[in-house]
Every structure is written in structure tokens, then in C-alpha cells.
Amino acid sequence: MPPKTVKVVVITGATRGLGRAMAERFMEAGHTVLGCGRGHAEVARLTRKFAKPHEFSTVDVSRDEAVQDWAKRVLHEHGAPDLLINNAALVNRNAPLWKVPPDEFQRVMDVNVVGVANCIRHFVPAMVAKKSGVIVNFSSGWGRSTSPEVAPYCATKWAIEGLTAALAQELPSGMAAIPLNPGIINTEMLQSCFGSSAANYPSAEEWSRKAVPFLLKLGSKYNGKQLSVMDE
């Protein structure tokens, strides 16, 4: 059998929830994970636990200059990623739209939409130069439908769907940009919305054992397609 190809996987929001679970599954499968998160302590713990070539960095994806610095280091040391996963996201505290404070609304927008654009801006040119690689922008069921009291989050995920569809039309042949609905998973984010009923859904670790093999199979034929992990 031919030797297995080791992929370079960049993951935002890699210190908790889905990002952390995906990072561990990709590493278990023998791939190189380059992740980021906002928490210094969490990044330090991951750095101690997982040796090079894996790397974890403290990055606020909503800050363009921070993403630029991170991308420069990653691209210099590892080259263009094979898989760029824009996973980092926030959800607003449950409230009618008119009761969401302006600073909270702005923060959700900045991380969930601006953060994705920042990562695309600084990682995708290297991928385009190679004419290879897959960009997966995490959407949500709330990027294709809506619910009350999470309007800011819904707005960002609908934006991700449109942004990704347009990006897919801009990429050269051989690449793909995919908006991915991960499904309903019991994470801290879901708990903030669903409360105790979040426990009725799979954990991030359980989900990742299905999601990571699915992500590794994605290629150019899926460019622009709305995909959902739970359908696979």
C-alpha cells in the first residue's frame, strides 16, 4: 500500500469544544495540527501535551494583525495548509435581539464573521498559489434556519453560508470552500442556549470520531456545497 499522506491542518478555536476534539482526532490519525485559541492557559496546556510538529498559539481571530502574525509563522514553518478549518465562534446570551447589548452583538460578529475573513485573508493566498487545499467554514443549523433569542448568532452563520458560497466561486480548480453544519453537539455553547437539555446530544469527543474522517475525505468536488456532518 502507498504511504499515508500527512496533512497539515489549521484549526481555529482549537482549545475547547469541537476544535479541541477535532485537533485530538487529527493528531491521533497522524496529521499535523496547527491550532489557535484565545486562552493563554489552554494553549499552554496543549503545547505541553502535544509535541512538535503540532503547534498551538494564542490568537484572537477577530484581530487582523494577530491572525497575520500567526499565519506568517505557520506558513514559514509548515507551508500552506491542506485543510483550513474556521471553527472559532461565540454565541450571544439568550435574549430578544433588542435586548442584546451592542458590545455583545459586535463581539459575536467580530469573531464569527470577521475572524473567518481574517483567516481566509492570510492563509488562503498560499493555498491558491499551490492550487490545492480545502477551506471548511463552520456554519450551523442556525445558518440555514433560525430560532428566537439567538438572532446575532443566526446572522453570523447565515453570513458564513453566503461568504463561503462566494469564496467557492473565486477559487482555482483543485480547491474547495465548504460551509459545514456540524450538527447539534453538547458543548459549552449549546449548554448556554439549551441549558440542561444539551445533555441529550452527543459530546464533542463522540462527534469528532465521525466528523474527522468525514473532513479528511473532502476534496475539490465538494466546492461550494452545503454539507452537514450528521448526514454522512
Side-chain angles (χ1 to χ4, degrees), residues 50-68:
F50 301 107
K52 287 183 176 294
H54 314 297
E55 292 183 10
F56 296 90
S57 303
T58 304
V59 182
D60 180 347
V61 295
S62 71
R63 296 179 57 244
D64 183 69
E65 63 274 20
V67 175
Q68 183 178 36

Side-chain angles (χ1 to χ4, degrees), residues 190-214:
L190 190 72
Q191 292 161 19
S192 77
C193 304
F194 282 23
S196 60
S197 64
N200 296 326
Y201 297 93
S203 68
E205 181 174 350
E206 291 171 326
W207 170 87
S208 69
R209 296 191 181 281
K210 181 178 182 180
V212 164
F214 168 65

Side-chain angles (χ1 to χ4, degrees), residues 141-157:
W142 285 335
R144 300 169 191 175
S145 64
T146 56
S147 289
E149 299 197 332
V150 286
Y153 183 81
C154 292
T156 64
K157 293 306 182 179

Side-chain angles (χ1 to χ4, degrees), residues 4-20:
K4 186 178 80 171
T5 300
V6 175
K7 293 182 180 290
V8 174
V9 184
V10 170
I11 307 175
T12 67
T15 57
R16 60 173 56 189
L18 303 187
R20 171 67 182 266

Side-chain angles (χ1 to χ4, degrees), residues 127-143:
M127 301 168 75
V128 168
K130 286 179 59 179
K131 296 185 179 181
S132 69
V134 175
I135 303 119
V136 178
N137 296 329
F138 268 45
S139 179
S140 170
W142 285 335

Side-chain angles (χ1 to χ4, degrees), residues 11-14 36 61 85-90 111-112 116 138 157 189:
I11 307 175
T12 67
C36 78
V61 295
I85 302 176
N86 284 305
N87 160 73
L90 300 177
V111 172
N112 296 12
V116 172
F138 268 45
K157 293 306 182 179
M189 184 181 292

